[in-house]
């Protein structure tokens, strides 16, 4: 049980579902060496007090994410191009939604 | 019959109490954070089972002893746990093999108890079987993981498996008390689920690449209060507070 570098295994992201049919939400993360250990560890950490009826674990490295330093160009909504917004349509009389 | 049931509850209750204490020794000393929490969770399940069983034992005995009195104020020779659970946490493989042997045993025992004619025992059997199914999932998967892991993990697992094997015979000892309870439909004879235990253990051992030890020698004594040298040390620590400050509460 050495304390050299990281001996805790790869990181897994944990998603829990409160009730059947509801969306899974991110609960946190765990360390584990394989799938079975990951789901057991996630169960012990995030679902022991009846918090969930569904549980997913996903290898963190399998998640594709936008890097923080790329966020600005990635998410910039191009506010200068007004035609990107559907504000020029006229809603027909009597229609509640288009 | 009352004494037979009392003795039986001590056997199962003490086995859970001592195992829980052994696991609790690993708190903050687990090989990594998540495993530390897993083992501590399992320790909590066992102390819960011990509490319920010893509380009922106190009621059956009818001398006004609570579960705490039974846990903290009995001496080594009065404990009825099996020798397996008092064996020390030599290394992680010993922790896992000890747990695995008990998990398979308790799974079979609690399932049988869930149909007991004693309602209290039947309720406990149903509740504990559910917890034990999870414990087995944990220890069983570690057996295979260590057995199929590195050369060192396999060597250590094999060592622990062979070393702890001769404490498993005791799990199936059936005495007159138990025979009496079995005839009344209150508790199963321990020897009645030995074959099922062996099947399950064989199957996991095979997956882990382990061979069952060929030895016939089995240690015995825990059920009549003759323990290995380890139990006294364990109890000294577990009972210290109540012995030094009788009746202390917090």
């Amino acid at each position: 049980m050495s304390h050299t570098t990281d001996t805790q295994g790869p990181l897994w992201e944990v998603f829990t579902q409160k009730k059947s049919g509801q969306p899974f939400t991110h609960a946190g993360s765990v360390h584990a060496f394989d799938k079975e250990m990951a789901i057991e560890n996630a169960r012990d950490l995030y679902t022991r007090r009846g918090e969930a009826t569904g549980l997913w674990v996903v290898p963190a490295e399998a998640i594709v994410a936008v890097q923080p330093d790329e966020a600005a160009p990635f998410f910039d909504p191009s506010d200068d191009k007004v035609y990107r917004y559907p504000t020029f349509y006229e809603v027909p009389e009597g229609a509640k939604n288009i | 019959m009352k004494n037979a049931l009392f003795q039986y509850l001590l056997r199962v209750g003490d086995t859970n109490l001592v195992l829980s204490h052994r696991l609790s020794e690993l708190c903050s000393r687990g090989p990594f954070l998540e495993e530390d929490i897993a083992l501590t969770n399992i320790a909590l399940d066992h102390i819960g089972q011990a509490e319920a069983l010893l509380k009922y034992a106190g009621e059956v005995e009818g001398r006004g002893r609570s579960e705490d009195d039974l846990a903290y104020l009995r001496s080594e020779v009065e404990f009825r746990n099996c020798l397996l659970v008092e064996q020390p946490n030599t290394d992680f493989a010993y922790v896992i093999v000890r747990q695995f042997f008990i998990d398979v045993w308790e799974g079979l025992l609690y399932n049988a108890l869930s149909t007991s004619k004693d309602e209290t025992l039947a309720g406990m059997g149903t509740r504990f079987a559910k917890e034990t199914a999870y414990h087995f999932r944990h220890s069983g998967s570690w057996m295979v993981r260590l057995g199929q892991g590195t050369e060192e993990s396999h060597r250590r697992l094999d060592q622990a498996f062979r070393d702890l094997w001769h404490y498993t015979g005791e799990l199936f000892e059936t005495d007159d008390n138990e025979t009496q309870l079995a005839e009344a439909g209150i508790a199963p004879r321990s020897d009645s689920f030995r074959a099922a235990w062996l099947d399950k253990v064989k199957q996991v051992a095979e997956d882990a690449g382990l061979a069952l030890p060929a030895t016939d020698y089995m240690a015995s004594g825990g059920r009549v209060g003759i323990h290995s040298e380890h139990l006294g040390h364990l109890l000294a620590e577990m009972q210290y507070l109540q012995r030094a400050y009788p009746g202390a509460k917090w």
Side-chain angles (χ1 to χ4, degrees), chain A residues 1-2 7-8 29-34 36-37 39-41 43-45 48, chain B residues 29-35 37-38 41 44-45 92 134 137-138 141-142 145:
Chain A
M1 309 196 180
S2 71
T7 55
Q8 313 203 20
S29 53
V30 290
H31 289 96
F33 293 94
D34 55 44
E36 172 63 24
M37 198 193 296
I39 201 104
E40 287 174 16
N41 289 347
R43 176 261 194 191
D44 283 339
L45 279 164
R48 282 275 288 183
Chain B
R29 290 179 167 77
F32 58 101
L33 183 63
E34 282 82 352
E35 187 55 34
I37 291 167
N41 267 329
L44 285 173
D45 284 347
F92 187 64
Y134 181 74
R137 181 170 172 167
H138 174 263
S141 67
W142 266 115
R145 198 175 287 125

Side-chain angles (χ1 to χ4, degrees), chain B residues 18-49:
Chain B
V18 172
L19 180 58
S20 171
H21 190 83
R22 272 287 178 243
L23 289 171
S24 77
E25 291 171 356
L26 293 162
C27 184
S28 83
R29 290 179 167 77
F32 58 101
L33 183 63
E34 282 82 352
E35 187 55 34
D36 194 295
I37 291 167
L39 291 170
T40 314
N41 267 329
I42 293 169
L44 285 173
D45 284 347
H46 285 299
I47 193 82
Q49 296 178 6

Side-chain angles (χ1 to χ4, degrees), chain B residues 165-200:
Chain B
W165 181 256
H166 66 270
Y167 293 108
T168 60
E170 198 187 19
L171 298 172
F172 307 101
E173 285 177 3
T174 298
D175 63 4
D176 292 346
N177 282 340
E178 216 176 83
T179 307
Q180 205 182 333
L181 294 171
E183 278 164 7
I186 291 173
R189 292 174 60 95
S190 295
D191 55 9
S192 68
F193 50 85
R194 178 172 200 148
W197 182 88
L198 204 57
D199 274 355
K200 189 87 191 166

